[in-house]
Amino acid sequence: MAVTPPAAPSAPAPALAASPARGAVRAAAPAPPPAAAFTAPPPAAVSGPVVSPAGSGDRGGGVVRLAGPVPGALAHRYAALPPPLRVALAALRLEVLLGDPRDAANPYSLPALTSAPAAAGSAACAGSAASAASAGAGEGWDGRAGVLLTAAGLGQVCAADQRVRALRPLLRRDLALGHAAGRWGGPGMPPARRVRGQDGESCPVSSPVPAALLGPAALVAAAGSVLRQAALTVAGRGSGEPALRQWQPVLAAAFADLLACESLTCVALRRPAAPGPGAGPGPGAGLLGAVAGYVVPTVLADVLAQLGLVLAECGHGPASTGGGMLAKLTGDLPLAGVDAAGAAHWQARLARALPALAAEEPRTAHRGPLPAPFRLADPPATAPAGGVAAAGGQEGGHTPDGHESGRLAPDGHTPDGHGPGGLEPGGYGVGGDSVVLSGLLRAGAARADGADGADTGRAALGALARRLLTEQRALRRPCRTAGADPGAVAARALADRQALLWLAAAVLGVREAADDGRGLFLGGTHWALLALSGIAGRLGVPLPGPAPDPRVPVWAELADRVRRGVDCDVYATRLLW
């Protein structure tokens, strides 16, 4: 199935592009290069529908023509874990509008975005978002990012996790601009204003992406682009320069850490939203957002340091594309709230919540089907009444791919056993995150005893989960008294250790949910074992007995992805450029 520019009887219809210096909309024709990921010979005399940009009306906006008899198949060709059709279309439109990232003349190319100084360039791109709301002119946000996102149809994607997926082409290119785009509330609306919530937490109004998760989601995508640049160099020159092969295990570990951070972020984004800022019963309300706000910048700071070393050793200095991307990303961290100061804020919040969270620790392993947020291939769950709508692209009770949504059985649960609104039975609503995450650690540890001896990967993963569970049990007693002085060094250290353990639980849950018999890399044990080994190393927990080295198969997957044009994300998204 091919994505091609629209064709009129006499002349091709122009695509929309935004000028970087002015807010005016100019005509351009960014024709995407041939991409095997989206190319399949359609049947003769069969043409797919023409999909216009959302809100274009009669203004002559660009269109995307899909070739092939079944448009819904595009979503399945877009990623190993396909999104709803509307999300895939929005992401493809946005990627076409952004243009070729390697073309230096393109204002949204990687060379153009990284040519300006990191802090100053980011302020020029993202800082204009705040001024556009008051200026009301075509300059800044309304003239540039607003045009792009409106033409791509982002206003029709309301679920937080699906909004991030549709924004990923922009998030991959620039952290500050992508973070500002995440605050966009919809066509004709100014950037989401900030309000102060409980615990000094700020959140965007009118944006479906929670404030605590906006920065981590953007950071994961931007760091993935730097990882791709480093992996392309090592994979391309490794055969001719054996000295570069020493960086293959380093990049494999960075890939596993990136997948772990994105797993936690995706699970948090798929959680049903609370009715208001900081609202929700129970001490665990907003737990996953706080954990992601702390642990993602902390872990990825180590990853970016390793990538900087690899790029430098490969001869990619600050003047190169890879070095410039890394320098720009590092300078943008404070603007996106994912620097050391932002991580410290969420660490303090976790420290204050430790006593109550320790009191609700489960004593048994999680049983039954995995909660919906861990099943990344499923449509997003609907939000509770009064919250942000979490059904991205659903019409008439069905998703664009034909999945029925919101259908309840007579007992008030969905057919797969979930409670109303996508909440899990047994209390997995707002506030039950710590119970489920701790239960997943126990479930992973229990599988160590029943693992098949021939499956060394599963046995090693279960043994490592059991070692981490032992560490979690040792933290229960000190966590009960940690809230007396949440600013103390001991309390922050406990919050750090507990957050890493919950990161490990998210990895176990996402991996198990993806292990559905399709042979997906996300459902395998290699990346999870490597990610949990890194978590154990950060905790200072000794690894259990001999285990197979997962770095070789993880590097093989990473090298294969960069050669085939597949993103370094949990969904295995195929890149257009």
Side-chain angles (χ1 to χ4, degrees):
M1 181 166 295
V3 178
T4 60
S10 58
L16 290 180
S19 170
R22 296 189 303 245
V25 179
R26 61 180 176 86
F38 301 110
T39 302
V46 176
S47 177
V50 174
V51 183
S52 300
S56 60
D58 298 328
R59 296 176 304 195
V63 294
V64 175
R65 184 182 298 276
L66 303 178
V70 185
L74 178 98
H76 294 272
R77 300 181 69 86
Y78 180 67
L81 296 179
L85 175 61
R86 180 170 295 172
V87 177
L89 287 174
L92 286 172
R93 288 191 190 103
L94 181 58
E95 199 155 10
V96 169
L97 292 170
L98 288 172
D100 189 348
R102 296 158 296 187
D103 182 8
N106 176 15
Y108 293 103
S109 67
L110 294 177
L113 290 172
T114 58
S115 60
S122 300
C125 293
S128 59
S131 62
S134 58
E139 298 292 337
W141 174 263
D142 290 337
R144 299 186 329 106
V147 170
L148 285 172
L149 302 185
T150 301
L154 265 295
Q156 303 176 18
V157 181
C158 300
D161 64 317
Q162 302 301 339
R163 174 68 72 91
V164 169
R165 289 194 71 173
L167 276 173
R168 193 169 178 96
L170 183 56
L171 300 179
R172 281 195 299 260
R173 301 198 186 194
D174 188 270
L175 173 62
L177 191 60
H179 177 265
R183 297 172 53 196
W184 181 71
M189 297 184 64
R193 60 187 178 89
R194 314 286 290 189
V195 298
R196 305 300 297 182
Q198 296 180 357
D199 300 327
E201 174 187 352
S202 62
C203 68
V205 176
S206 79
S207 173
V209 184
L213 299 172
L214 189 54
L219 176 58
V220 166
S225 294
V226 181
L227 175 61
R228 277 183 52 81
Q229 291 292 323
L232 277 170
T233 301
V234 174
R237 292 164 46 189
S239 57
E241 302 179 36
L244 295 184
R245 297 176 193 168
Q246 64 177 321
W247 302 115
Q248 294 178 1
V250 176
L251 295 179
F255 183 32
D257 287 340
L258 198 68
L259 292 176
C261 291
E262 190 176 8
S263 296
L264 174 65
T265 305
C266 289
V267 171
L269 285 168
R270 289 173 60 85
R271 289 281 285 111
L287 168 68
L288 285 179
V291 173
Y294 168 66
V295 80
V296 171
T298 303
V299 172
L300 291 190
D302 295 337
V303 171
L304 294 178
Q306 293 291 334
L307 294 180
L309 179 61
V310 174
L311 289 171
E313 290 295 323
C314 293
H316 290 264
S320 65
T321 300
M325 290 172 59
L326 181 60
K328 177 72 161 53
L329 173 58
T330 303
D332 288 343
L333 294 178
L335 293 173
V338 285
D339 57 345
H345 166 76
W346 295 110
Q347 184 189 39
R349 173 168 179 171
L350 288 174
R352 289 193 297 270
L354 283 177
L357 294 175
E360 62 178 16
E361 291 288 331
R363 298 182 180 274
T364 59
H366 176 79
R367 302 183 185 278
L370 282 166
F374 294 90
R375 300 194 297 269
L376 303 185
D378 291 355
T382 45
V388 177
Q394 297 181 1
E395 294 178 347
H398 293 76
T399 66
D401 282 339
H403 300 297
E404 187 169 357
S405 64
R407 178 165 54 92
L408 300 181
D411 60 355
H413 291 76
T414 56
D416 56 358
H418 303 155
L423 299 183
E424 301 296 324
Y428 187 64
V430 177
D433 296 313
S434 62
V435 176
V436 172
L437 291 174
S438 299
L440 286 173
L441 270 182
R442 283 166 169 76
R447 293 187 185 93
D449 299 326
D452 186 1
D455 193 343
T456 56
R458 290 181 183 272
L461 189 61
L464 186 51
R466 182 164 52 189
R467 185 63 57 88
L468 295 175
L469 176 61
T470 302
E471 172 67 16
Q472 187 185 49
R473 287 170 174 166
L475 294 180
R476 288 192 64 188
R477 179 170 295 179
C479 281
R480 290 172 182 170
T481 59
D485 186 6
V489 175
R492 289 180 175 269
L494 288 172
D496 174 82
R497 302 183 74 81
Q498 189 65 71
L500 288 171
L501 290 170
W502 280 324
L503 175 64
V507 169
L508 290 171
V510 168
R511 189 217 68 83
E512 183 179 351
D515 187 15
D516 55 3
R518 289 185 290 168
L520 298 174
F521 174 74
L522 194 66
T525 59
H526 300 301
W527 76 273
L529 183 58
L530 186 54
L532 262 63
S533 299
I535 293 172
R538 292 180 175 91
L539 290 169
V541 174
L543 298 177
D549 188 355
R551 294 177 296 180
V552 174
V554 172
W555 163 252
E557 170 70 15
L558 176 60
D560 184 61
R561 286 194 182 192
V562 299
R563 292 190 185 104
R564 293 187 297 114
V566 178
D567 199 3
C568 304
D569 61 343
V570 294
Y571 303 105
T573 303
R574 300 185 180 187
L575 302 175
L576 184 61
W577 301 99

